[in-house]
Amino acid sequence: MNTVTLNADGLMVHDRNIEENEPLMFLPFKAELEDGYTLRSYFKLILRYSLLSKLSMFFPAYLKQYSECPETGCACDGMDYLELSKTVEMIGFPGEPRLEIFNSFHGISGREICELKMYKLEHILDMPIKLGKLKHIIFGDKVDIFEFDTVFTFFEFIDGIAWELSFNSGPMECKMRNEK
């Protein structure tokens, strides 16, 4: 599988060459993160390759929030890192069984998951991001969760984080919608 490496300074690298202006062709590529990649790196990437901001209707509000954050020191003590993970869940037995596949983005503290809804962007911007595993859950049995190494495409990476931020530390429009 073709791979694109995302650098901490917001650059995309493919075959040891910095990609200057065509990020969309890399959306189906496997995403790898350089050591030291943070949520701030994610926003630098979106700003550097502005076409990527069209992938989510939430980016204008996120970028405004990002521009209002301090330039350093935006990390919290209650979390070790942020993690993007995948879940494949078989649901609906007995009855109509179905399969749901989704990404989630959350904080990790030790072995515990931290929901991001309690954190403002300015508290998590300098937290490192890691790509997690795929969790396989069968019919809601949270006791026997199987975990597998997996691949995240560049699109899944961009969209997965944007989607989760819209529910957690997202823009005011989302918070008002969630309160209704």
Side-chain angles (χ1 to χ4, degrees):
M1 175 174 232
N2 287 318
T3 301
V4 62
T5 302
L6 307 179
N7 288 354
D9 61 3
L11 290 171
M12 294 172 35
V13 177
H14 177 253
D15 286 338
R16 293 184 285 229
N17 295 311
I18 294 173
E19 176 53 40
E20 296 295 335
N21 1 309
E22 296 296 332
L24 296 184
M25 74 171 119
F26 297 101
L27 290 176
F29 285 33
K30 174 185 175 184
E32 288 186 350
L33 305 180
E34 178 183 69
D35 287 342
Y37 197 89
T38 64
L39 190 55
R40 185 180 302 275
S41 305
Y42 174 83
F43 282 103
K44 286 179 180 180
L45 174 81
I46 301 303
L47 287 170
R48 182 177 303 272
Y49 304 97
S50 60
L51 198 52
L52 294 174
S53 69
K54 305 240 185 258
L55 294 175
S56 173
M57 66 179 160
F58 301 113
F59 275 124
Y62 295 152
L63 293 173
K64 182 178 183 315
Q65 286 180 16
Y66 171 74
S67 72
E68 295 169 353
C69 289
E71 292 185 19
T72 60
C74 297
C76 62
D77 293 331
M79 227 185 285
D80 300 326
Y81 59 92
L82 303 172
E83 179 182 79
L84 182 66
S85 63
K86 284 186 186 181
T87 301
V88 173
E89 186 168 4
M90 294 172 60
I91 303 172
F93 183 81
E96 288 290 321
R98 69 183 194 275
L99 185 68
E100 291 188 3
I101 303 169
F102 54 91
N103 293 322
S104 57
F105 186 61
H106 46 264
I108 299 291
S109 178
R111 297 177 57 92
E112 299 295 317
I113 291 176
C114 304
E115 295 299 324
L116 297 181
K117 63 185 167 188
M118 303 307 289
Y119 299 90
K120 292 182 180 181
L121 188 60
E122 65 200 45
H123 299 136
I124 59 174
L125 202 52
D126 291 321
M127 298 297 298
I129 296 177
K130 295 184 180 183
L131 299 176
K133 295 189 177 249
L134 178 140
K135 294 176 178 89
H136 186 230
I137 302 170
I138 301 173
F139 300 123
D141 182 5
K142 306 273 188 204
V143 175
D144 292 322
I145 296 176
F146 302 99
E147 291 190 350
F148 303 92
D149 288 334
T150 192
V151 169
F152 290 88
T153 65
F154 182 44
F155 175 77
E156 288 174 317
F157 178 75
I158 297 296
D159 184 62
I161 293 174
W163 181 253
E164 283 294 324
L165 288 178
S166 73
F167 293 105
N168 298 324
S169 59
M172 186 55 70
E173 296 86 1
C174 298
K175 291 178 183 175
M176 291 187 321
R177 183 181 67 227
N178 289 336
E179 291 173 0
K180 289 183 181 179

